[in-house]
Amino acid sequence: MGGYGYMMNSWTGAIIMGIAGLVILGVLIYLLFKVGTGGFGSAPHETPLDVLKKRYARSEITKEQFDEMKKDL
């Protein structure tokens, strides 16, 4: 084979496998972060109306303000 045996027998193969391992680890961390923050469409994004309803429910705005803001949306 002219000194080019199995790739894992060379330092180049070890470097390539190390880089591949780091890439896989990075992808796994990214996926865990996305799942932990409600990614992948598991929870739909709040609409402006949803935010407005929550503000009204927490008594941050009055009924008149809610109706006016709802009309603007």
Side-chain angles (χ1 to χ4, degrees), residues 20-73:
L22 288 175
V23 168
I24 291 171
L25 183 64
V27 168
L28 288 174
I29 291 172
Y30 172 76
L31 292 176
L32 287 173
F33 177 74
K34 287 289 285 182
V35 169
T37 57
F40 296 121
S42 61
H45 295 296
E46 286 186 322
T47 65
L49 184 57
D50 293 335
V51 174
L52 187 60
K53 288 177 181 178
K54 285 182 180 182
R55 288 187 63 198
Y56 179 65
R58 291 189 300 251
S59 299
E60 293 178 5
I61 57 176
T62 65
K63 173 73 171 149
E64 293 78 24
Q65 290 171 322
F66 174 80
D67 291 336
E68 185 64 32
M69 289 178 185
K70 185 178 174 184
K71 186 174 71 172
D72 288 342
L73 292 176

